Amino acid sequence: MTIVRVVVVDDRRLVAEALASALRVRGHRVPAVAAPLSRAAELVAAKQPEVCLFGTATPEADGALEPLARIHRETPRTAVVVLGPVPRPRGVAAVFAAGARGYVREDERVEGVERAMARARSGEPAVTPQLLREAFAELLHPRSAPDAEGTRLAGLLTEREADVLRRIVDGEDTRLIATGLGVAQSTARTHVQRLLSKLGTTSRLEAAALAVRTGLLEQLPAARLPRPRRP
């Protein structure tokens, strides 16, 4: 087994800590663990690891891979391996275009993560044939109908809730959501809670991940532009 100096970053702190602990037990050097992903570039620059494990539940979301791209620009000697969900072709392409050297499913056993780290450290692409088959199956057999789960969830939401979901995916906090909707922050929080309840999620991050994974955003009606105020 190749011993690797690696840092672990993930928006889910508990996930990052668990993976780091497993790697330390197996002899790897893990000088730092961090959450959220926005800290990844600074951490890598400070610790100069051989590999960065970059965990993200939403690799296809706008801006999700910017910290990865920054690592590639500023600390190119560090190989980045992304840990994410079963990807679609767009997700795989986005990850490698941002500068990653590997992609591993987030439910992969620690032995598989170790193999990916070793390959990335040696300069080789770290992606399994099985994952590539899963990712590109959609290209060979494109779906003729919209994602059924995304369509079902879209039917549950009001126009206002759909607008709130778009803003959550864009990373807006309660203040920005309230400003964008032209309502009080307490009213915005109520809309957010109703949205989370309808989606069966417990956090905004989980709701955003669900929206990307199921194609829910593509099933929502086009957002209406705000009406200009009368002078």
Side-chain angles (χ1 to χ4, degrees):
M1 180 182 65
T2 302
I3 301 301
V4 177
R5 177 178 167 83
V6 55
V7 299
V8 183
V9 292
D10 196 300
D11 277 330
R12 301 155 295 182
R13 180 80 190 192
L14 291 178
V15 173
E17 292 283 3
L19 178 56
S21 296
L23 293 173
R24 286 182 178 124
V25 167
R26 297 175 70 85
H28 298 285
R29 298 190 297 275
V30 187
V33 180
L37 287 175
S38 57
R39 296 183 54 199
E42 289 82 0
L43 184 68
V44 169
K47 300 298 182 180
Q48 296 290 315
E50 297 171 303
V51 174
C52 171
L53 291 178
F54 186 96
T56 173
T58 57
E60 298 178 49
D62 291 342
L65 300 178
E66 177 52 36
L68 191 165
R70 184 178 167 191
I71 293 171
H72 183 62
R73 291 193 306 269
E74 300 177 2
T75 321
R77 295 181 64 180
T78 295
V80 180
V81 176
V82 172
L83 302 176
V86 177
R88 295 183 176 181
R90 178 184 174 189
V92 174
V95 162
F96 284 97
R101 202 169 290 169
Y103 193 111
V104 179
R105 280 180 51 165
E106 58 190 357
D107 58 356
E108 179 64 71
R109 295 170 62 89
V110 67
E111 294 86 354
V113 176
E114 286 182 299
R115 287 192 293 271
M117 291 194 309
R119 289 179 64 88
R121 176 177 176 268
S122 66
E124 301 177 43
V127 57
T128 66
Q130 176 61 28
L131 187 145
L132 285 177
R133 284 194 293 270
E134 292 172 353
F136 290 98
E138 187 178 331
L139 290 180
L140 298 174
H141 306 288
R143 293 172 295 178
S144 57
D147 186 279
E149 181 64 5
T151 301
R152 183 187 72 81
L153 292 172
L156 300 177
L157 305 183
T158 65
E159 183 178 314
R160 176 55 59 88
E161 289 162 350
D163 193 6
V164 170
L165 178 58
R166 293 189 189 92
R167 294 175 184 278
I168 287 175
V169 173
D170 287 341
E172 293 188 9
D173 59 15
T174 301
R175 181 181 61 81
L176 289 175
I177 292 174
T179 300
L181 298 180
V183 299
Q185 291 191 38
S186 59
T187 302
R189 279 192 290 269
T190 299
H191 287 312
V192 170
Q193 288 305 314
R194 287 176 178 170
L195 170 67
L196 297 183
S197 178
K198 285 188 177 182
L199 295 181
T201 55
T202 59
S203 70
R204 301 182 189 201
L205 179 61
E206 188 179 348
L210 177 68
V212 173
R213 186 174 69 251
T214 62
L216 170 56
L217 294 179
E218 288 73 21
Q219 307 309 318
L220 298 177
R224 293 185 179 179
L225 295 175
R227 295 178 180 178
R229 295 181 178 180
R230 294 180 180 179

